[in-house]
Amino acid sequence: MLILGVYNNDDYGAKTNFFASKDISSNLDVPEGLIFSPDGTKMYVTDNTGDLIEEYTLSNPWQLSTATHAGSNLAVADAQTNQPEDLAFNADGTKMFLVDRTGDKILEYNLSTAYDVSTASYSGDSERFYVGSQANQARDVEFNLDGTRMFVVDGTGDDINEYKLSTGFDVSTAAFVDSFSVSS
């Protein structure tokens, strides 16, 4: 499995150039989600069948060719999910959110060291949120800057669902607001 990096040298997106790639097949079976730390020095990839979140360190921020396996990862317990799909972090990296595709849930984890997934601990079933009433096979999750809005991509319904969180970055306080169709 290769992760490809591209850059755009045209303001209007007319021309995109290949920049770099990184082979990560030795660490992952079926990579799904991909996210970077805000400073670009860490990269995280979810492994759908291996039930892992793999962490990579980039010696030069945002330069994929400098990525090396950090030696740390998170083995997601089958009791939490059999198919980790995507992940997101809160603003300071002390909370991580994982999409459970088969259970249609957003799982919450606490990190004792910011942006170090090996220090993550599951917050428990009371701190997860079921999105199955709106999404079938949830695929991706994203938050606004203060964590009071959460957006979940529906894997089969061709829509993006919006949720309001009464407490920022606490998914147990989420309530459905609206959905936006992207089917056309």
Side-chain angles (χ1 to χ4, degrees):
M1 164 48 86
L2 293 176
I3 294 180
L4 302 176
V6 295
Y7 73 95
N8 185 334
N9 68 353
D10 183 338
D11 291 341
Y12 300 103
K15 185 176 181 184
T16 302
N17 297 308
F18 177 75
F19 185 68
S21 66
K22 183 69 177 179
D23 184 355
I24 58 171
S25 60
S26 63
N27 299 96
L28 295 135
D29 293 326
V30 179
E32 289 287 344
L34 169 69
I35 191 169
F36 290 84
S37 62
D39 65 0
T41 61
K42 289 192 176 190
M43 176 178 74
Y44 310 87
V45 183
T46 56
D47 185 350
N48 188 289
T49 60
D51 295 343
L52 294 171
I53 299 171
E54 298 284 352
E55 182 177 317
Y56 296 83
T57 302
L58 285 75
S59 57
N60 291 328
W62 303 106
Q63 292 186 11
L64 192 59
S65 62
T66 68
T68 57
H69 193 268
S72 60
N73 59 46
L74 174 65
V76 181
D78 284 341
Q80 295 158 20
T81 178
N82 287 324
Q83 283 191 305
E85 189 71 19
D86 188 42
L87 70 153
F89 291 97
N90 68 345
D92 66 3
T94 58
K95 280 192 175 185
M96 181 180 70
F97 305 90
L98 186 62
V99 176
D100 172 10
R101 184 169 90 187
T102 54
D104 289 322
K105 294 182 287 273
I106 307 300
L107 309 174
E108 186 176 309
Y109 296 80
N110 292 307
L111 284 72
S112 58
T113 302
Y115 296 107
D116 182 348
V117 297
S118 68
T119 69
S121 61
Y122 181 53
S123 298
D125 291 346
S126 64
E127 294 297 318
R128 66 181 182 189
F129 184 72
Y130 179 70
V131 296
S133 299
Q134 296 83 34
N136 185 16
Q137 294 188 355
R139 297 293 174 121
D140 297 298
V141 64
E142 188 64 51
F143 292 86
N144 68 345
L145 292 176
D146 66 2
T148 57
R149 296 284 175 169
M150 177 175 71
F151 305 92
V152 177
V153 175
D154 183 348
T156 60
D158 295 329
D159 57 3
I160 299 168
N161 298 298
E162 178 184 354
Y163 302 86
K164 182 177 181 178
L165 285 70
S166 58
T167 303
F169 295 110
D170 182 349
V171 296
S172 68
T173 68
F176 177 69
V177 174
D178 201 0
S179 64
F180 176 75
S181 175
V182 292
S183 61
S184 60

